[in-house]
Amino acid sequence: MRTALDEAGMTVESSDLVMVPQSTIPLESAESAARVGGFAPEPRFDEVVGAARFTAGDLHEAKKRLERALAGETEPLRRVRLLEHLARVEYVRPDHARAMDLCRTGLNEIGQPIPRPGLATAWTFTSELIAAVVTLHPRLGFGSARGDDRERHLAHLRLSNTIGRAGYSMMPLVAVVALTLRFMRVANRVGVCPEYVRAYPLVAGIG
């Protein structure tokens, strides 16, 4: 049982968001064995099942599993990852307003809320634009993020990607511009990776 759960967890850790092939893991057998043994699977297992159900097109079961995993998860970065998954599910359903809410919650949890219009807007635009340009240089920040900081930046990019697809038309223009500039800065800090490759075409599309 533990081997099956570990394999499932490793698969979701190495996957691109929620794209886990349904046939690669004996999910139902592992879960049945756990319950026969008298213990409930951990949130990580429900995440894997939810991911597989999403890939199989079972959005209702995917949502139920991912919400259950989120309710039982306490580790901040794992909670943000589950919010990413749920936002993707809601985007496909499609419930774009709910996807936006989940992305907003995820950004709040990593300390990067969606910018709001206000007195500091001009300063926000200027500082983010300068940072986005500066961090293009390898010696001035490009690809410099490491450890948990890098994981938070990656989560930021994935959440912002969903926002860009689902909700940019729902936000005030100033918030869209500020979020886009911040998106560019964060992408530069992460460096070349799948999230980085997806970042700039999305920015161009929003623009």
Side-chain angles (χ1 to χ4, degrees), residues 134 136-142:
V134 168
L136 282 169
H137 195 287
R139 294 185 179 180
L140 297 175
F142 186 86

Side-chain angles (χ1 to χ4, degrees), residues 20 23 37 39 41 43 47 56 59 71 76 79 108 117 136 141 151 154 157 159 167 178 201:
V20 182
S23 61
F39 64 94
E47 178 184 7
L59 301 181
R79 284 184 56 79
N108 288 342
L136 282 169
E151 290 304 311
L154 286 169
L157 292 180
L159 289 164

Side-chain angles (χ1 to χ4, degrees), residues 126-146 149 153 157 180-192 196 200:
T126 303
S127 61
E128 290 289 5
L129 178 59
I130 292 172
V133 172
V134 168
T135 52
L136 282 169
H137 195 287
R139 294 185 179 180
L140 297 175
F142 186 86
S144 62
R146 297 289 185 273
D149 187 42
H153 284 332
L157 292 180
T180 301
L181 291 173
R182 191 172 74 189
F183 191 54
M184 294 167 63
R185 170 179 59 80
V186 172
N188 292 340
R189 286 288 311 285
V190 169
V192 179
Y196 177 87
Y200 280 94

Side-chain angles (χ1 to χ4, degrees), residues 24-113:
T24 59
I25 309 168
L27 299 174
E28 292 80 6
S29 298
E31 184 174 22
S32 297
R35 300 197 182 282
V36 168
F39 64 94
E42 297 178 356
R44 188 176 181 183
F45 184 72
D46 273 320
E47 178 184 7
V48 177
V49 177
R53 301 307 333 152
F54 175 80
T55 303
D58 186 353
L59 301 181
H60 175 77
E61 182 68 14
K63 179 180 178 180
K64 183 177 78 172
R65 292 285 191 159
L66 292 168
E67 286 179 339
R68 188 163 73 187
L70 181 63
E73 184 58 72
T74 58
E75 201 281 317
L77 285 176
R78 286 196 178 279
R79 284 184 56 79
V80 173
R81 185 180 181 89
L82 286 162
L83 288 165
E84 295 170 28
H85 289 344
L86 280 165
R88 289 281 297 274
V89 172
E90 297 292 358
Y91 175 73
V92 173
R93 290 184 67 193
D95 186 341
H96 292 178
R98 178 59 180 156
M100 272 289 296
D101 287 342
L102 290 163
C103 289
R104 184 179 291 109
T105 300
L107 288 173
N108 288 342
E109 291 213 9
I110 59 174
Q112 296 290 340

